[in-house]
């Protein structure tokens, strides 16, 4: 032990321990030095102690804090990669809720591009929902194995029709207009830009197509194919077999998306964006599910306010036996017994929450539910034994709540109101008292029930003569583009984990489980103290 600059011991002013009246100064110094070097000093509560229902009752996110840890790393190295289902990982733990004022095509695309996952709502026709899934899956690709092809006798009109319908016109021309046929050329926008007059639209493609092609041989790796495409400065790279038959296609636009969105949630085999969509547990939604699977669906969410039902168990078993490549997020649940039944049926992840959303009144009307903090912790503790991830759905009001949900065992968090005011959410902006707003409603609200049957199916009320609302309709403030908002959530979460002293989502969950990360319960006064207080006025800007 080094002496202080004055030559005296650093423990010279340490008080005498009354229980050790005969302790010498040397003995005291030795004891105190050992105490300093003995490792972490126990403080606060473990998660088990915090969530002891016999002492504290049910807790939610505002009822506790996480104690800070030791920082020896920068916030930007914190990994937010997490398991969303048994088989799929994403780079950030953010999910958008399957609500008709939150997630349609634009939200699903931008959630996936920015490392999260959007769950497309089902308060619409089968065809509309399937088309939304199809658009998400076609937005970004690796090797395109089913590109639109035309034959040499097709006309410029056919190309323009494809461009109008699908938004692109880089079309391979093969001998019979199909895949696995001899490649003859390719038609791009440059070939038809000045042929849109009526007289030119009947010209055959053999007269306008580009035949000077750069191709790659079948079996080429995606990395090598991307290198060839970059070097060629072409818009498309056809992949051909030994007999020059087209087997797949690579697009420059997808390379650009890969560069601009390095965190994108993609399917490893195809490099297409991950896409999830919700269905009900009713038998007729098996038709809906088939259409979604045909459109390219990766993950299906069984959308029910109370997931512990024979209907959901039957649907899980049907999906796992019929579409084994699709992962199932089951729920909603708030107890370990509910979780047990759904895991036994084959669920690949569990959605946790009942009545905790900002627009949900299930707890008030039905007298059923559970405080969200306790629900997440209890379900996650049980599900973790089986390797089943948990989605914390509801009650997320800020970045701190996301950190707390993960600390209690959630692998991901599902957000509704936080994302509802973004540019990519459905609906139009309107102004009220000088503020720019968007409509936001719960799927249990009468508004949602009147639009489609998804709301009724979710709450088992589609056959009722009198509709009992379990949600409300309201408005949320404009939050700008979801990309900027997700960047804010990501950075805030990284700094939260840095303060706790953990380097990843997985580290946080395991450190809570071992008791390394500790907690403190908050009184009502502590909650007031932890917020803005004592000011005449203030402006709360979340990010810039």
């Amino acid at each position: 032990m080094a002496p202080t600059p004055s030559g005296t011991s650093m423990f010279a002013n340490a008080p005498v321990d009354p229980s050790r009246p005969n302790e010498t100064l040397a003995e005291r110094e030795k004891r105190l030095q050992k105490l300093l070097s003995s490792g972490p000093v126990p403080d606060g509560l473990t998660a088990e102690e915090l969530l002891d229902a016999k002492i504290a009752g049910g807790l939610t996110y505002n009822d506790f804090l996480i104690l800070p840890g030791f920082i020896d790393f920068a916030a930007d190295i914190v990994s937010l990669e997490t398991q969303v289902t048994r088989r799929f990982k994403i780079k950030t733990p953010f999910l958008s809720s399957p609500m008709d004022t939150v997630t349609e095509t634009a939200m699903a695309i931008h959630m996936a591009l920015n490392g999260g996952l959007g769950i497309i709502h089902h308060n619409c026709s089968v065809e509309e929902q399937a088309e939304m899934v199809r658009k998400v899956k076609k937005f970004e690709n690796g090797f395109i194995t089913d590109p639109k092809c035309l034959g040499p006798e097709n006309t410029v009109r056919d190309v323009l029709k494809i461009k109008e319908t699908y938004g692109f016109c880089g079309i391979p021309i093969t001998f019979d207009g199909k895949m696995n046929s001899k490649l003859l050329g390719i038609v791009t926008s440059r070939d038809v830009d000045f042929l849109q007059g009526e007289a030119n639209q009947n010209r055959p493609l053999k007269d306008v197509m580009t035949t000077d092609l750069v191709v790659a041989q079948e079996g080429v790796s995606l990395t090598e194919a991307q290198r060839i495409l970059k070097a060629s400065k072409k818009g498309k790279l056809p992949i051909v077999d030994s007999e020059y038959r087209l087997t797949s296609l690579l697009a420059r636009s997808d390379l650009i998306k890969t560069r601009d969105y390095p965190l994108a949630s993609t399917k490893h085999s195809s490099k297409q964006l991950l896409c999830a969509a919700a269905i009900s547990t009713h038998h007729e939604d098996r038709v809906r599910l088939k259409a979604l699977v045909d459109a390219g669906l990766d993950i299906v969410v069984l959308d029910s306010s109370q997931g512990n039902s024979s209907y959901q168990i039957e649907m899980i078993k049907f999906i796992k036996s019929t579409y084994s490549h699709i992962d199932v997020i089951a729920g909603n649940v708030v107890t370990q017994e509910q979780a047990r039944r759904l895991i036994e049926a084959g669920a690949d992840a569990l959605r946790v929450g009942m009545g905790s959303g900002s627009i949900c009144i299930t707890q008030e009307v039905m007298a059923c539910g559970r405080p969200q903090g306790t629900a997440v912790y209890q379900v996650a503790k049980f599900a973790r034994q089986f390797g089943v991830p948990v989605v914390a759905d509801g009650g997320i009001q800020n970045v701190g709540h996301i950190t707390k949900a993960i600390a209690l065992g959630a692998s991901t968090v599902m957000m509704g109101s936080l994302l509802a005011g973004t540019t990519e959410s459905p609906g139009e902006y309107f102004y009220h008292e000088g503020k720019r707003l968007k409509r936001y409603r719960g799927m249990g609200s009468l508004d949602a029930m009147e639009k489609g049957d998804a709301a009724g199916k979710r709450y088992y009320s589609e056959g009722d003569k009198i509709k009992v609302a379990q949600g409300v309709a309201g408005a949320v403030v404009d939050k700008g583009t979801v990309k900027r908002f997700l960047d804010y959530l990501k950075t805030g979460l990284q700094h939260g984990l840095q303060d706790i002293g953990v380097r990843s989502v997985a580290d946080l969950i395991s450190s809570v489980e071992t008791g390394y990360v500790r907690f403190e319960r908050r009184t009502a006064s502590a909650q007031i103290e932890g917020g803005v207080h004592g000011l005449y006025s203030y402006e709360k800007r979340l990010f810039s």
Side-chain angles (χ1 to χ4, degrees):
M1 179 186 66
T4 62
S6 63
T8 60
S9 166
M10 65 182 291
F11 304 118
N13 293 327
V16 175
D17 185 346
S19 66
R20 296 180 173 91
N22 299 320
E23 185 179 51
T24 66
L25 178 60
E27 290 172 336
R28 188 189 318 157
E29 288 178 350
K30 185 176 181 180
R31 174 174 59 81
L32 293 176
Q33 184 62 49
K34 183 178 179 181
L35 180 63
L36 286 178
S37 59
S38 62
V41 180
D43 199 356
L45 304 169
T46 65
E48 191 73 32
E49 293 166 342
L50 173 74
L51 276 299
D52 187 340
K54 294 178 181 177
I55 298 174
L59 300 183
T60 190
Y61 302 132
N62 284 335
D63 293 326
F64 68 93
L65 287 171
I66 306 169
L67 299 185
F70 176 67
I71 299 174
D72 60 351
F73 54 90
D76 60 6
I77 74 161
V78 172
S79 170
L80 302 184
E81 184 174 79
T82 189
Q83 208 78 34
V84 65
T85 65
R86 290 183 201 261
R87 285 185 288 193
F88 290 108
K89 281 186 177 181
I90 54 178
K91 297 293 186 182
T92 63
F94 308 134
L95 275 58
S96 65
S97 184
M99 304 170 72
D100 62 5
T101 52
V102 178
T103 312
E104 290 186 347
T105 305
M107 181 66 77
I109 287 173
H110 285 86
M111 288 296 296
L113 284 175
N114 290 284
L117 183 68
I119 293 117
I120 296 170
H121 75 86
H122 61 116
N123 203 26
C124 57
S125 71
V126 173
E127 295 75 20
E128 288 172 326
Q129 191 183 20
E131 183 58 25
M132 286 190 262
V133 170
R134 194 172 291 110
K135 286 179 179 177
V136 175
K137 297 304 294 182
K138 294 295 183 184
F139 187 81
E140 183 174 355
N141 300 276
F143 289 118
I144 305 170
T145 57
D146 58 344
K148 294 291 179 184
C149 297
L150 294 173
E153 301 303 324
N154 282 100
T155 65
V156 172
R157 189 186 307 278
D158 297 319
V159 175
L160 297 177
K161 187 175 180 180
I162 289 174
K163 183 177 182 180
E164 182 183 353
T165 305
Y166 299 101
F168 63 84
C169 64
I171 301 167
I173 309 303
T174 63
F175 181 75
D176 62 2
K178 298 178 181 178
M179 283 292 291
N180 299 306
S181 177
K182 186 175 181 180
L183 180 65
L184 302 179
I186 193 166
V187 172
T188 69
S189 58
R190 295 185 189 92
D191 298 315
V192 298
D193 272 348
F194 299 103
L195 301 177
Q196 299 191 27
E198 190 64 33
N200 288 316
Q201 289 192 19
N202 292 322
R203 290 183 63 181
L205 298 181
K206 64 184 179 182
D207 293 343
V208 301
M209 66 184 182
T210 299
T211 56
D212 179 21
L213 304 178
V214 175
V215 301
Q217 290 296 311
E218 187 178 30
V220 67
S221 69
L222 180 60
T223 302
E224 177 62 14
Q226 290 173 335
R227 187 195 65 76
I228 295 170
L229 182 56
K230 287 177 187 176
S232 73
K233 299 184 180 179
K234 301 283 187 180
K236 299 285 190 296
L237 178 69
I239 312 298
V240 298
D241 64 13
S242 58
E243 297 184 25
Y244 214 72
R245 292 176 299 201
L246 181 68
T247 60
S248 60
L249 192 69
L250 193 66
R252 176 172 290 275
S253 59
D254 292 322
L255 289 185
I256 294 170
K257 291 167 190 170
T258 300
R259 178 198 67 195
D260 292 346
Y261 296 95
L263 297 179
S265 305
T266 58
K267 194 168 182 178
H268 181 71
S269 58
S270 67
K271 299 301 179 184
Q272 291 180 320
L273 295 179
L274 277 184
C275 185
I279 64 171
S280 81
T281 57
H282 288 239
H283 192 276
E284 62 266 25
D285 266 25
R286 297 183 182 192
V287 175
R288 180 183 291 270
L289 177 61
K290 183 181 186 308
L292 299 179
V293 172
D294 290 344
L297 188 69
D298 301 302
I299 299 169
V300 64
V301 176
L302 297 183
D303 194 25
S304 174
S305 63
Q306 212 285 50
N308 187 24
S309 70
S310 58
Y311 315 113
Q312 181 145 164
I313 289 169
E314 288 171 10
M315 183 63 90
I316 294 171
K317 291 178 178 178
F318 167 77
I319 296 170
K320 301 310 291 183
S321 63
T322 311
Y323 306 107
S324 58
H325 64 290
I326 299 293
D327 272 11
V328 180
I329 299 179
N332 280 30
V333 299
V334 293
T335 71
Q336 293 186 352
E337 173 58 16
Q338 288 177 302
R340 181 192 69 80
R341 287 181 180 272
L342 300 187
I343 292 171
E344 184 182 27
D348 298 297
L350 294 173
R351 188 176 167 196
V352 178
M354 190 173 181
S356 54
S358 63
I359 40 65
C360 189
I361 55 174
T362 295
Q363 293 182 10
E364 174 187 330
V365 175
M366 302 299 164
C368 275
R370 197 174 200 179
Q372 185 68 347
T374 299
V376 170
Y377 178 73
Q378 294 297 344
V379 173
K381 183 171 72 170
F382 180 80
R384 192 179 303 122
Q385 302 172 84
F386 308 94
V388 175
V390 159
V391 180
D393 174 25
I396 302 294
Q397 300 171 29
N398 51 51
V399 182
H401 288 176
I402 296 174
T403 307
K404 291 176 181 181
I406 294 171
L408 294 178
S411 295
T412 55
V413 295
M414 184 174 286
M415 296 171 286
S417 61
L418 270 189
L419 301 174
T422 58
T423 308
E424 291 76 9
S425 63
E428 300 296 326
Y429 286 108
F430 66 96
Y431 285 88
H432 179 69
E433 296 181 350
K435 290 196 176 291
R436 195 168 187 245
L437 309 171
K438 258 192 182 180
R439 293 282 292 171
Y440 175 54
R441 66 187 181 197
M443 295 307 291
S445 67
L446 295 180
D447 277 13
M449 291 182 184
E450 288 164 0
K451 183 199 171 187
D453 64 355
K457 288 179 177 178
R458 185 177 200 274
Y459 295 93
Y460 305 105
S461 63
E462 70 278 12
D464 294 352
K465 292 181 180 179
I466 297 177
K467 301 294 185 187
V468 178
Q470 294 191 46
V472 300
V476 289
V477 175
D478 172 23
K479 296 184 180 72
T481 176
V482 77
K483 175 171 172 38
R484 281 196 73 211
F485 192 69
L486 289 175
D487 282 345
Y488 155 68
L489 294 181
K490 172 178 169 286
T491 303
L493 181 56
Q494 286 178 314
H495 278 278
L497 267 59
Q498 181 194 42
D499 279 353
I500 297 166
V502 295
R503 295 171 181 253
S504 69
V505 166
D507 283 350
L508 176 56
I509 294 173
S510 63
S511 296
V512 170
E513 193 176 7
T514 60
Y516 175 78
V517 170
R518 314 285 282 193
F519 300 84
E520 191 86 309
R521 229 172 260 123
R522 296 171 91 189
T523 63
S525 297
Q527 292 182 37
I528 294 171
E529 178 187 68
V532 179
H533 60 278
L535 300 179
Y536 171 71
S537 64
Y538 68 92
E539 179 185 11
K540 190 172 184 179
R541 296 174 62 198
L542 297 179
F543 59 92
S544 62

